[in-house]
Amino acid sequence: AQKITQTQPGMFVQEKEAVTLDCTYDTSDPSYGLFWYKQPSSGEMIFLIYQGSYDQQNATEGRYSLNFQKARKSANLVISASQLGDSAMYFCAMREGNGGYNKLIFGAGTRLAVHP
Amino acid sequence: NAGVMQNPRHLVRRRGQEARLRCSPMKGHSHVYWYRQLPEEGLKFMVYLQKENIIDESGMPKERFSAEFPKEGPSILRIQQVVRGDSAAYFCASSARRTESQKNIQYFGAGTRLSVL
């Protein structure tokens, strides 16, 4: 079974608009972490935002926020005020267990294109 | 303020040759992870190392692949007798020592693109 599912292979958004990238996950571990990474065309992996399973509030980092719905096992990334430089692949990832040393499990990614 | 450094960025090998990929973690980080990314796919975990120890190699192919993280120097991912199917991007990530925080974010290098001819 897929541990991380990103159902949107590609998304389009108009510059300055907000966009939501979907991510659902599957785990029986009560302690886990959820991550979003951005991969521009240059290929590097850039950390964007983190949400812990015990965090009471949704994570926010600048224009990025994470819509964490624990009961639905979803961790959608919201990008507000999209910019042309946001065009990239976006990966959702999960780490099971506490202590922080377990492997990351990645989804297949969503390619976001921001149009002027 | 150097991040995770990987070299080379691009590596071309002929079938049967050896590929050596190097990774220097961020300053202060003692945990290294290697991942592989096939075209148009997400990253797949290969191995997790601490200094001089392999902690989890559950994602490593049983043959031809090995990894090390010596006391001094970078972590090395070695692929012997490469085949065309080894062509991929190989990413290294590092994280800090255990802290009270659950976070322990993994920061990635820019990757090594391996092409096997």
Side-chain angles (χ1 to χ4, degrees):
Chain A
Q2 291 274 14
K3 290 269 192 175
I4 294 285
T5 303
Q6 294 181 254
T7 57
Q8 306 153 315
M11 288 284 286
F12 297 91
V13 66
Q14 206 71 27
E15 195 178 8
K16 299 179 186 175
E17 298 289 314
V19 63
T20 298
L21 306 184
D22 294 342
C23 174
T24 58
Y25 59 93
D26 181 29
T27 182
S28 56
D29 197 320
S31 179
Y32 53 89
L34 297 158
F35 303 78
W36 279 91
Y37 288 87
K38 173 184 177 181
Q39 186 176 43
S41 58
S42 50
E44 68 269 34
M45 292 287 289
I46 302 167
F47 166 73
L48 294 178
I49 196 167
Y50 164 86
Q51 180 83 44
S53 59
Y54 296 123
D55 293 345
Q56 295 298 314
Q57 295 189 327
N58 287 346
T60 60
E61 291 284 351
R63 293 187 299 111
Y64 304 109
S65 60
L66 204 152
N67 183 3
F68 181 44
Q69 298 189 40
K70 196 169 182 177
R72 297 178 63 181
K73 293 189 175 179
S74 74
N76 298 340
L77 176 70
V78 180
I79 306 174
S80 62
S82 297
Q83 301 171 358
L84 295 178
D86 294 334
S87 294
M89 281 290 287
Y90 288 81
F91 291 97
C92 179
M94 177 176 66
R95 184 197 64 230
E96 293 175 304
N98 206 351
Y101 300 129
N102 296 316
K103 61 191 178 189
L104 292 179
I105 302 164
F106 283 83
T110 295
R111 185 174 300 279
L112 176 66
V114 181
H115 291 171
Chain B
N1 191 24
V4 179
M5 303 301 292
Q6 287 190 250
N7 64 82
R9 289 294 308 273
H10 300 275
L11 183 61
V12 179
R13 286 287 178 266
R14 296 191 181 279
R15 281 178 295 171
Q17 292 184 321
E18 179 179 283
R20 288 168 62 91
L21 288 62
R22 286 176 291 277
C23 169
S24 296
M26 282 179 71
K27 188 175 181 180
H29 285 189
S30 54
H31 303 264
V32 165
Y33 309 77
W34 286 93
Y35 293 83
R36 177 164 63 177
Q37 184 182 31
L38 296 173
E40 303 301 317
E41 293 187 10
L43 279 67
K44 297 285 195 296
F45 169 79
M46 299 182 74
V47 62
Y48 159 46
L49 311 101
Q50 295 179 26
K51 284 284 187 183
E52 301 185 279
N53 286 303
I54 296 175
I55 307 301
D56 180 0
E57 57 181 347
S58 58
M60 286 277 272
K62 298 297 181 206
E63 297 177 349
R64 302 187 298 107
F65 285 72
S66 62
E68 62 178 12
F69 189 15
K71 189 175 181 181
E72 301 292 335
S75 176
I76 305 287
L77 179 67
R78 183 183 291 109
I79 311 172
Q80 296 177 304
Q81 298 174 343
V82 296
V83 301
R84 289 222 172 106
D86 297 333
S87 295
Y90 292 83
F91 286 91
C92 169
S94 72
S95 66
R97 288 178 186 276
R98 186 188 188 102
T99 66
E100 293 304 312
S101 166
Q102 188 191 14
K103 281 189 181 182
N104 248 315
I105 293 159
Q106 292 182 25
Y107 293 94
F108 283 80
T112 293
R113 271 89 186 150
L114 173 65
S115 298
V116 180
L117 304 179

